[in-house]
Amino acid sequence: MEFIISAIVFFILLYTVIPYFLSRSLGVNVVKRGRDLSKIAFTFDDGPNPIYTPILLDLLKKNEVKATFFVVGTKAEKYPELIQRMHNEGHLIGIHNYVHHSNWFMSPWKVRNGLKNTAKVIKSITGVNPIYYRPPWGMLNLFDFMRRGKYKIILWSIMAEDWRTSGGSEKIRQRLANIKGGDVILLHDCGDTLGAESEAPRNTINALRDVLKTVQTKGFTCVRVDELVEKL
């Protein structure tokens, strides 16, 4: 019995905690930032959202900023016009997964099928096969590492914790006040996932109105993730 319990514990650690430590703490097999200190990349997770994504796209277009959207497959299916608009306006579209569930609590084949289905949805809309992937909450499992050859896993170097409304836009401005060259910034254009608040993206967008002007004043170029990491 003790052997069985030990084996189960070992498997859980191997499947979840060890990949998490290797990726989040050591950056193994993932990209957290770029080397070009003149560029930064804004990334947006969990969408598209019919209310906030169009407003965000308007803001990005006004400021001539290209960004990266890690989309949820079921939402992409529901709002194909927003995926098409992202593509038409020059943004990069990556995979978040078909549903917003942690990879820790899904079997390898369910994660694989989720990636496959989301890629199929995106390609059917844009004609482009996505290769950039960010697991929900950045929680990688063992098989995400084994899948690395097909997808480039993108995490982040700055997280604004913008999924809650507490602190308002000012909290987000403060967390983004020290952006450095090469940073990959994690934000959200949808707030209907577990632990998030539905109105939270409004604060993100309001904060970005100032943040985008500030980073451009500092001389940073806002680019898509593929442009930031192309030489890595």
Side-chain angles (χ1 to χ4, degrees):
M1 180 62 71
E2 289 183 4
F3 173 79
I4 295 175
I5 294 174
S6 297
I8 292 173
V9 171
F10 175 76
F11 175 77
I12 292 173
L13 290 173
L14 183 64
Y15 191 72
T16 62
V17 177
I18 293 175
Y20 184 83
F21 173 76
L22 291 174
S23 60
R24 293 288 289 272
S25 298
L26 303 181
V28 176
N29 288 354
V30 301
V31 175
K32 299 172 68 175
R33 59 180 301 111
R35 293 176 182 168
D36 189 334
L37 301 184
S38 69
K39 299 176 180 178
I40 59 175
F42 284 96
T43 68
F44 300 91
D45 289 6
D46 298 358
N49 176 276
I51 298 174
Y52 296 113
T53 303
I55 299 173
L56 174 60
L57 288 170
D58 289 343
L59 178 62
L60 296 175
K61 185 175 183 179
K62 179 180 178 180
N63 287 273
E64 299 182 342
V65 167
K66 303 304 180 189
T68 301
F69 291 83
F70 290 98
V71 303
V72 176
T74 54
K75 295 177 183 177
E77 284 181 322
K78 192 173 182 179
Y79 307 109
E81 70 283 357
L82 293 177
I83 301 297
Q84 187 66 63
R85 182 180 171 186
M86 292 173 189
H87 176 69
N88 290 346
E89 296 182 1
H91 302 292
L92 179 67
I93 303 171
I95 298 171
H96 206 31
N97 214 321
Y98 191 68
V99 292
H100 198 283
H101 295 163
S102 170
N103 288 13
W104 286 11
F105 303 110
M106 291 193 290
S107 65
W109 48 90
K110 185 169 184 179
V111 175
R112 180 192 62 200
N113 288 338
L115 289 169
K116 181 179 178 181
N117 291 338
T118 305
K120 183 177 179 181
V121 171
I122 294 171
K123 186 174 182 180
S124 70
I125 298 169
T126 67
V128 177
N129 196 40
I131 63 170
Y132 292 91
Y133 165 45
R134 175 181 287 160
W137 296 292
M139 292 180 173
L140 278 71
N141 65 41
L142 177 64
F143 291 90
D144 290 317
F145 281 97
M146 298 173 65
R147 204 177 285 113
R148 181 175 178 267
K150 185 171 184 179
Y151 297 106
K152 296 181 180 180
I153 302 173
I154 307 296
L155 297 184
W156 57 84
S157 56
I158 291 183
M159 175 168 48
E161 297 185 8
D162 64 331
W163 54 85
R164 292 188 178 276
T165 57
S166 60
S169 298
E170 184 56 32
K171 178 190 72 174
I172 299 169
R173 291 189 192 95
Q174 290 176 1
R175 290 188 179 276
L176 300 183
N178 297 314
I179 290 175
K180 298 178 178 62
D183 274 335
V184 176
I185 301 115
L186 168 60
L187 296 167
H188 299 80
D189 61 327
C190 185
D192 65 0
T193 57
L194 181 65
E197 297 179 18
S198 60
E199 295 294 320
R202 188 180 305 278
N203 290 334
T204 300
I205 293 168
N206 288 336
L208 277 175
R209 299 185 197 281
D210 296 325
V211 172
L212 290 178
K213 294 177 182 177
T214 299
V215 297
Q216 291 172 342
T217 299
K218 290 181 177 180
F220 293 127
T221 302
C222 302
V223 300
R224 306 173 358 158
V225 158
D226 55 346
E227 298 175 69
L228 187 69
V229 306
E230 59 185 359
K231 296 181 180 179
L232 294 179

